[in-house]
Amino acid sequence: MRMCSLIAVLTFCCCPILPAADLDFIRISADGKSFVTSQNQKPFVPWGFNYDHNGEGQLLEDYWQTDWKQIEQDFAEMKELGANVVRIHIQFGKFMSAVDKPREEALQKLGELLQLAERTGIYIDLTGLGCYHKQDVPAWYDQLTDEERWQAQAVFWEAVAKQCAKSPAIFCYDLMNEPVVHAGKKQGTDWLGPALGNKHFVQRITLSPDKRSRPDIAAAWIKTLVQAIRKHDQRHLITVGMVPWSLDRPGLRSGFVPDKVSQHLDFICVHLYPEAGKVDEAMETLKGFEIGKPLVIEETFPLKSSPQEFEEFLLKSRKYADGWIGFYWGKSLSEYKSEKTIAAALMGNWLEFFVKNGPKFKDETE
C-alpha cells in the first residue's frame, strides 16, 4: 500500500452493479480460474477502490464513530462511479483489547458497515490485522512471541469471521496487508517495516529465527488464520495481499512465494505499481503470480509511471488478472476539477478515463 504519497485512483466498474437486495455470495468458478455469483454462476470481475483513509490521512476507524454520514456519502459515490468492490482496512489494536478479547463495539461498527454495503450494493474486501499507525499498536501486542502473536491474530480473525459470516456483502477476507517472514539468523527487533509518511504498510509475521524455510513459515501462518476463519465462515473467500517481491527471485524477498504458500488461499492478490519504461517488467512480475488460481491486482496506480504507460499496463494485465482495485479518498470529479494542482488534474483525468472507457474494458474483459 502506497497511500501516503499516492493520489487516489478512481475506477469504473466492469460488471453490472447489483441492487442491494440481489447481492449474491461470490465464489470461485467451477474451473477454478475466475469469480462467479453463487446462485446464477454469473461472472464477477472485482473492480473498485481501496477506501482506507480520508483526505486528511485518518484511518476509517478514526472517524467512523463521528462522521458516519460522510462514509454513507462516500459509499454512494463509489457505487455511482462504478465500483463493485471496496477494500476496507481494519487495525488489530482497534479490534482487540487483549490477546483473547475482541472489542465488541468495533465488531458492531463493522456490522453496520456491512449493512451499509448491502444497502448500497457493494462488496467488501476486508483486510485485517493492520498496524498502519504505530501509535495504535498495543504495547502488549509487540511483546508477544511469534506463536503468541499468531494466536492473537487467530482470535481477531475468528471474531471478525463470526461477525461477517452471514453477510453477502463480503467479497473476501484479506488476512494481512503485505506480510513478510523474518529473514536471517538473528532475532528481529521490529514487527513493522519502514514507515511511508506516518503509516506502516509492511508487517512481519515472525521475528525469531526458524529452521523451516520462509515459504513454509508463511504457509503455516496462512493455514492457522484460515482455520480460525473457517470455524465460523465456510463460505467467503480468503486471500492475502502480497508485495511484488514475493516471487522467488534474486534480491529482496518476502517469503510469501505464491505457488509455495497458497494451498489454503482461494485466490491470489498482488500489489503492483508499474514503473516508467518498465511495463514489460511489470507484466513479467504479474505473470509470476499466475499459479492457476484467480489473480487480483489489489493495489495499483500510476505512481511511478506516466498515465499512458499505466493504461498500457492495465490493458495488458488482463491476460493474467481477474480483478483490479485502485484508490478512493472521498473526492468527486467536480472537486478535483475545481482544484488547480497537478495532483488534482491527474486524478481528474484518470477519473474521466475510467468513466469513459469502463464499458469497453468490461466487454473486452468478459
Side-chain angles (χ1 to χ4, degrees):
M1 195 169 7
R2 306 293 178 265
M3 279 60 120
C4 289
S5 59
L6 186 64
I7 306 167
V9 67
L10 303 171
T11 54
F12 191 81
C13 181
C14 61
C15 284
I17 299 175
L18 300 170
D22 294 334
L23 275 181
D24 189 9
F25 290 87
I26 303 299
R27 61 182 294 271
I28 303 299
S29 61
D31 63 6
K33 296 182 180 180
S34 61
F35 304 102
V36 295
T37 59
S38 293
Q39 292 184 3
N40 299 322
Q41 304 293 296
K42 292 182 178 179
F44 178 78
V45 180
W47 191 269
F49 311 102
N50 280 269
Y51 180 65
D52 59 304
H53 63 74
N54 62 17
E56 288 69 48
Q58 290 180 304
L59 299 177
L60 180 62
E61 298 135 329
D62 294 332
Y63 61 92
W64 69 357
Q65 293 288 355
T66 59
D67 202 4
W68 187 256
K69 186 174 181 60
Q70 183 62 54
I71 295 173
E72 291 178 324
Q73 292 173 350
D74 288 346
F75 265 70
E77 186 169 313
M78 285 188 282
K79 180 182 178 181
E80 185 178 353
L81 290 167
N84 60 6
V85 171
V86 173
R87 187 179 179 216
I88 299 296
H89 304 254
I90 54 178
Q91 289 197 104
F92 178 90
K94 296 290 187 177
F95 275 75
M96 298 290 292
S97 61
V99 291
D100 58 350
K101 293 183 179 180
R103 298 182 187 272
E104 289 301 324
E105 65 276 14
L107 292 169
Q108 291 174 8
K109 204 65 183 178
L110 177 59
E112 292 178 28
L113 191 73
L114 294 181
Q115 292 173 10
L116 173 60
E118 291 171 13
R119 293 194 304 270
T120 309
I122 285 181
Y123 289 94
I124 298 295
D125 171 343
L126 187 59
T127 300
L129 300 177
C131 291
Y132 305 139
H133 284 174
K134 199 166 188 175
Q135 67 271 21
D136 293 334
V137 180
W140 55 262
Y141 187 45
D142 281 344
Q143 295 168 3
L144 300 178
T145 65
D146 294 359
E147 182 179 358
E148 291 168 343
R149 194 171 172 100
W150 288 19
Q151 292 173 350
Q153 292 169 347
V155 173
F156 168 99
W157 270 118
E158 186 175 344
V160 169
K162 185 177 181 180
Q163 178 70 45
C164 300
K166 296 180 180 180
S167 175
I170 289 290
F171 164 58
C172 71
Y173 301 118
D174 180 339
L175 300 177
M176 181 184 284
N177 184 74
E178 301 182 353
V180 173
V181 181
H182 175 66
K185 298 180 180 179
K186 295 182 179 180
Q187 181 76 17
T189 59
D190 196 340
W191 292 102
L192 304 182
L196 183 61
N198 68 341
K199 292 178 174 59
H200 298 260
F201 300 125
V202 175
Q203 186 176 166
R204 298 178 180 87
I205 63 168
T206 58
L207 288 183
S208 302
D210 197 311
K211 293 182 180 180
R212 294 174 295 177
S213 71
R214 295 175 75 202
D216 283 346
I217 296 170
W221 177 79
I222 289 172
K223 181 179 180 181
T224 297
L225 300 188
V226 169
Q227 288 177 337
I229 291 172
R230 293 305 183 211
K231 289 180 181 179
H232 299 285
D233 191 342
Q234 296 291 325
R235 183 157 39 185
H236 289 121
L237 305 178
I238 302 176
T239 189
V240 67
M242 298 183 190
V243 291
W245 35 279
S246 294
L247 300 179
D248 193 8
R249 296 174 175 175
L252 187 65
R253 287 173 287 182
S254 73
F256 279 74
V257 183
D259 59 350
K260 295 181 179 179
V261 307
S262 302
Q263 176 184 354
H264 298 284
L265 297 178
D266 294 298
F267 66 98
I268 306 302
C269 277
V270 61
H271 302 171
L272 189 54
Y273 301 80
E275 298 183 20
K278 298 182 178 180
V279 172
D280 290 342
E281 184 177 315
M283 285 299 302
E284 280 299 309
T285 297
L286 181 62
K287 180 180 178 181
F289 286 85
E290 211 295 302
I291 62 171
K293 295 187 176 186
L295 173 59
V296 172
I297 303 177
E298 197 180 34
E299 291 183 20
T300 192
F301 189 74
L303 178 64
K304 302 178 181 179
S305 66
S306 67
Q308 294 76 21
E309 288 173 309
F310 183 73
E311 178 183 346
E312 178 187 354
F313 165 74
L314 196 70
L315 295 174
K316 286 184 175 180
S317 72
R318 292 171 300 168
K319 181 176 181 180
Y320 304 113
D322 303 287
W324 298 260
I325 303 177
F327 291 88
Y328 172 86
W329 287 345
K331 285 188 177 182
S332 66
L333 175 59
S334 60
E335 288 176 303
Y336 282 115
K337 288 297 184 181
S338 67
E339 296 179 13
K340 305 301 179 182
T341 65
I342 295 177
L346 177 62
M347 188 61 250
N349 290 340
W350 273 108
L351 177 57
E352 288 182 326
F353 170 84
F354 280 112
V355 169
K356 180 180 178 179
N357 293 283
K360 177 183 178 181
F361 196 93
K362 170 191 170 184
D363 291 341
E364 294 181 354
T365 302
E366 293 182 348

